[in-house]
Amino acid sequence: MSTKHTFHIPVMGTGFTLDTPLKVSPFGMDSVVSIVDDVLIENLRKTYCEKFEMPYQAITDKIEDFRAKRITSYLNLLQELAEAKFNEIKNATLETSHELRSYLNMLPEQSKLKSQFEALVSNNSSLKELRNWAGQHLKMGSIDVNIMTKLDKVNYVKGEKLPTEYNDAHAALRGFALSKLESSIVLSAGMNPRLYSYMEQFDDFYPDKNNHVKKKIVIKVSDYRSALIQGKFLAKKGLWVSEYRIESGLNCGGHAFATEGYLMGPILEEFKSNKKALIQTVHDILVPALQDRNKHIPSHSLPLKITAQGGVGTEEEHRFLMDHYELDSIGWGSPFLLVPEATTVDDKTLEKLALATEKDLYLSNISPLGVPFNNLKGNSKDLEKGNKIDAGRPGSPCPKEFLALNSEFSEKSICTASRQYQRSKIKELDTEEVSAKVYKNRFQKIVEKSCLCMGLGAATEQIHDMDVKKSSKGVSVCPGPNMAYFSKLMSLKEITDHIYGRSNVISNQGRPNMFIKELKLYSDHLKGKIDEVQGALTKRQEKYLLSFSENLNEGVAYYKNLFNNSSDKFENSKIQIMAELKQYKTSINEMQESIIKMVNKVQKA
């Protein structure tokens, strides 16, 4: 860790980080691209081939296995272009030596590479000597990919259902597995046993004779139990999880998968305490599975990284997570949306993001997945959607169908944001005898779903001036709550300086500590769940609400102990943090009492 960056850029949307590796990998920074939207991926491959005057052969949807082939071809192009830029930096000339210095200047202060380079410069080393040193020591950032495991839609050709390996997630996985990349696949949004089993078919996921895994598996999790279950499941297939990426359930961007009140700090503590046991348990399952498959048996347990992301916003928080929980890397997501040198966001959306306050960022119900989705008020996609509703034409055309997962009205699944689905649902609602108030509420729940397939890729299409025929130009964006505290566009150097404490780009002095922010989000979430209870409390609701509140209370107790025993950490904010913990403790207890009253009321009845 003393020679490389200690942060990574997580996946954001389908398009915002789709070409991020081209911009940051040459400077040693790891990033993650989404491989959901093969249509956008193919268009971007065409764009970059034209830009760099490289041969381009279109992969149309008439070609067999076109989805996987598009993804493989794009990832290979990313690797080739990023590597070419990286080699330019390593093989510095007098004209390009500033890029070599930029690479080194952006590293953390404790990096050995920095001090070694400065020593070479102070000794008046020649450019050739500097190039030799760079060739031996500099590393390119990893080009990682992300798959939401549940986006595994069945596909058809001429009305005939294709085999499972042509499902969306399976084809995307195959596209990565057959690429030239030596990097990681981040599996998110829960466990898909069929998809996990499919990974057995690709040798690159297994360790070679040198114990090297060419394509590593990263599981994004929100608690330790999930990590253990998924790690053991994959180990039984002979597959090793190289990294568990812990993400806050609510203090994050994109889709929000809330835990049952389990907070980030206690979760990280559990990983820290059980890391050795986790490695040994999974290794003991892995070895016989590899033997059964006649694969190479590692002489020792394979490396395991524990990383975290969600709501980190200051160097102090970054350093604390790295040091106290002994993490390998910290994900910085939403702030990078304001870094055009790293991500692809259109000017209008950039302006809205920079001006966004806490009130502008909210957890919405717009996702067709039925999972809460972080949203920005006034984004152009929602405005476009509102205009369609006002015109009496709710819903969207569904040309991509990546979220077409609802089979309520047809054997072939459709998307709940589609015009076809919403028309059918509204027609069904019209036949029911309900009050005007109930009708309005149910109508709103139908039409609020947004076409994220188009919206999350629209900025990429605009920035690269893609010649695509479509009726929608609105941009959806999915920043986390942390975006409220970053209010200006930043260069890549400025954001890395902020991460490592060389400068501070946060002008809002009211930003709460990341742990306190998450506690607030979970406290508000619990209140919302209590307010949703209508009529008598069911046994399931009772168990969930009581468990949730108890877990929050345990989290508060953990944080009180943590901050009391961290004498040299958060010195300038500790008094405020302790006061806020006391406040939330009172609030949670009050909610717990209200839950108990509802339980007693049911029991008396």
Side-chain angles (χ1 to χ4, degrees):
M1 298 306 297
S2 60
T3 61
K4 58 168 286 187
H5 285 286
T6 59
F7 72 86
H8 59 270
I9 304 173
V11 67
M12 287 183 277
T14 55
F16 300 122
T17 59
L18 192 52
D19 54 356
T20 292
L22 288 184
K23 305 171 183 180
V24 306
S25 292
F27 293 99
M29 301 172 192
D30 299 345
S31 60
V32 187
V33 305
S34 168
I35 51 173
V36 166
D37 190 343
D38 64 285
V39 179
L40 182 64
I41 283 170
E42 177 66 7
N43 286 331
L44 193 56
R45 183 172 74 90
K46 179 176 184 288
T47 298
Y48 275 115
C49 283
E50 290 174 350
K51 179 178 179 179
F52 289 96
E53 299 181 342
M54 301 173 72
Y56 170 76
Q57 182 70 43
I59 302 173
T60 71
D61 58 9
K62 307 301 180 187
I63 295 174
E64 184 184 0
D65 202 21
F66 67 88
R67 177 170 168 81
K69 288 175 179 175
R70 284 173 170 176
I71 290 167
T72 300
S73 296
Y74 178 69
L75 295 178
N76 287 344
L77 178 67
L78 273 185
Q79 172 72 20
E80 184 178 349
L81 293 176
E83 203 166 56
K85 180 64 178 177
F86 176 60
N87 287 333
E88 279 183 23
I89 293 173
K90 285 195 303 181
N91 301 318
T93 64
L94 287 174
E95 290 77 22
T96 63
S97 59
H98 66 281
E99 291 189 320
L100 173 58
R101 187 167 282 280
S102 291
Y103 181 113
L104 294 156
N105 283 343
M106 287 190 283
L107 288 169
E109 290 306 298
Q110 66 272 27
S111 170
K112 292 178 182 177
L113 294 182
K114 261 187 164 176
S115 56
Q116 289 175 9
F117 179 76
E118 294 304 331
L120 288 170
V121 171
S122 62
N123 289 333
N124 296 316
S125 299
S126 67
L127 200 56
K128 181 180 178 180
E129 289 173 317
L130 291 177
R131 281 200 295 264
N132 289 338
W133 174 85
Q136 293 174 20
H137 293 88
L138 300 195
K139 301 293 183 186
M140 197 170 93
S142 185
I143 303 174
D144 299 329
V145 305
N146 172 257
I147 291 179
M148 287 186 72
T149 57
K150 299 298 172 64
L151 299 189
D152 201 21
K153 174 179 60 69
V154 173
N155 288 303
Y156 297 78
V157 170
K158 296 180 180 178
E160 287 193 20
K161 184 178 176 181
L162 292 175
T164 301
E165 59 262 32
Y166 293 97
N167 286 10
D168 278 357
H170 282 68
L173 173 65
R174 183 166 58 256
F176 169 70
L178 298 178
S179 74
K180 296 176 184 177
L181 289 179
E182 289 195 29
S183 59
S184 301
I185 183 166
V186 182
L187 302 169
S188 63
M191 185 170 165
N192 181 338
R194 188 165 55 180
L195 181 69
Y196 283 14
S197 298
Y198 182 58
M199 299 176 82
E200 287 185 74
Q201 297 191 22
F202 303 99
D203 288 340
D204 281 359
F205 291 115
Y206 293 96
D208 62 19
K209 62 182 180 181
N210 297 315
N211 298 332
H212 173 68
V213 181
K214 187 175 181 182
K215 289 185 169 65
K216 297 177 177 62
I217 299 170
V218 177
I219 305 288
K220 190 190 289 185
V221 295
S222 55
D223 59 61
Y224 180 78
R225 180 175 173 272
S226 174
L228 184 60
I229 290 171
Q230 295 185 71
K232 289 166 72 174
F233 181 91
L234 285 162
K236 290 174 183 177
K237 311 289 181 184
L239 300 167
W240 177 257
V241 177
S242 295
E243 178 186 333
Y244 294 100
R245 185 161 290 184
I246 305 147
E247 182 172 74
S248 170
L250 290 178
N251 198 13
C252 61
H255 287 93
F257 297 89
T259 66
E260 202 169 289
Y262 296 108
L263 300 174
M264 193 75 161
I267 292 168
L268 292 174
E269 193 72 57
E270 190 172 9
F271 272 91
K272 177 184 175 181
S273 301
N274 293 299
K275 183 177 179 180
K276 289 182 180 178
L278 175 62
I279 292 172
Q280 191 61 53
T281 299
V282 176
H283 175 76
D284 290 346
I285 296 170
L286 179 77
V287 170
L290 289 171
Q291 288 173 332
D292 291 343
R293 290 160 177 77
N294 294 317
K295 299 288 186 182
H296 169 72
I297 310 298
S299 54
H300 50 76
S301 59
L302 295 168
L304 175 66
K305 290 182 179 180
I306 306 294
T307 62
Q309 59 195 40
V312 184
T314 67
E315 182 270 343
E316 188 175 33
E317 291 172 352
H318 181 99
R319 183 162 34 88
F320 180 80
L321 293 178
M322 292 290 298
D323 295 346
H324 184 80
Y325 297 110
E326 300 171 7
L327 300 178
D328 295 282
S329 179
I330 307 297
W332 284 68
S334 296
F336 269 96
L337 289 172
L338 292 173
V339 184
E341 290 177 29
T343 54
T344 304
V345 186
D346 62 289
D347 289 342
K348 289 183 179 178
T349 303
L350 279 173
E351 184 179 356
K352 284 187 175 295
L353 288 170
L355 295 173
T357 64
E358 290 178 347
K359 292 179 181 179
D360 298 313
L361 303 160
Y362 70 106
L363 209 51
S364 73
N365 294 311
I366 68 169
S367 173
L369 286 181
V371 176
F373 186 79
N374 282 285
N375 204 11
L376 171 67
K377 286 182 182 177
N379 69 76
S380 56
K381 185 64 179 176
D382 281 356
L383 295 176
E384 181 183 89
K385 179 180 68 175
N387 290 335
K388 288 181 180 179
I389 295 169
D390 292 342
R393 288 177 55 81
S396 301
C398 195
K400 294 185 176 180
E401 300 185 342
F402 301 126
L403 298 177
L405 302 171
N406 184 284
S407 54
E408 192 176 341
F409 295 107
S410 60
E411 183 181 348
K412 183 183 177 183
S413 58
I414 58 178
C415 179
T416 56
S418 69
R419 188 165 295 149
Q420 179 186 354
Y421 175 85
Q422 293 190 7
R423 277 177 177 170
S424 298
K425 202 67 179 171
I426 292 168
K427 188 176 180 181
E428 181 182 78
L429 176 61
D430 288 341
T431 65
E432 299 183 24
E433 295 182 2
V434 295
S435 68
K437 182 179 179 181
V438 170
Y439 182 94
K440 183 179 179 181
N441 287 338
R442 288 173 61 179
F443 178 87
Q444 180 57 34
K445 286 184 178 180
I446 294 169
V447 301
E448 69 183 343
K449 300 303 179 188
S450 184
C451 180
L452 297 181
C453 290
M454 302 300 284
L456 290 173
T460 302
E461 292 173 344
Q462 291 179 29
I463 293 291
H464 291 287
D465 197 24
M466 292 180 182
D467 182 22
V468 291
K469 296 178 182 178
K470 64 172 189 174
S471 58
S472 171
K473 298 188 184 303
V475 176
S476 301
V477 66
C478 48
N482 206 25
M483 178 57 73
Y485 314 110
F486 293 83
S487 55
K488 69 169 189 172
L489 299 191
M490 296 169 278
S491 67
L492 193 57
K493 178 68 165 60
E494 285 175 318
I495 185 65
T496 52
D497 281 351
H498 175 78
I499 291 170
Y500 296 132
R502 294 187 286 257
S503 66
N504 178 25
V505 299
I506 295 178
S507 56
N508 185 342
Q509 298 301 314
R511 180 188 179 275
N513 175 275
M514 61 171 287
F515 293 132
I516 297 299
K517 180 67 177 182
E518 188 197 41
L519 176 59
K520 179 187 186 304
L521 294 169
Y522 269 101
S523 181
D524 291 345
H525 189 73
L526 176 59
K527 185 179 185 304
K529 291 295 181 184
I530 293 171
D531 292 342
E532 285 177 11
V533 175
Q534 297 179 352
L537 193 69
T538 66
K539 280 288 182 184
R540 186 177 179 180
Q541 287 173 324
E542 174 189 331
K543 181 181 177 183
Y544 173 80
L545 293 175
L546 286 174
S547 174
F548 198 114
S549 59
E550 186 56 38
N551 290 334
L552 282 186
N553 265 327
E554 289 179 5
V556 171
Y558 169 86
Y559 285 135
K560 282 184 176 180
N561 182 62
L562 176 72
F563 288 111
N564 275 328
N565 292 326
S566 301
S567 57
D568 59 337
K569 309 294 183 184
F570 305 106
E571 293 177 344
N572 296 328
S573 56
K574 187 174 293 187
I575 293 175
Q576 177 68 21
I577 289 171
M578 297 305 287
E580 288 171 321
L581 286 172
K582 184 178 180 181
Q583 174 190 331
Y584 283 113
K585 172 70 174 174
T586 301
S587 175
I588 294 163
N589 285 341
E590 289 172 354
M591 286 189 281
Q592 202 166 33
E593 287 173 9
S594 71
I595 297 166
I596 293 169
K597 284 180 182 178
M598 287 191 284
V599 172
N600 292 336
K601 187 176 180 181
V602 171
Q603 290 175 344
K604 287 179 182 178

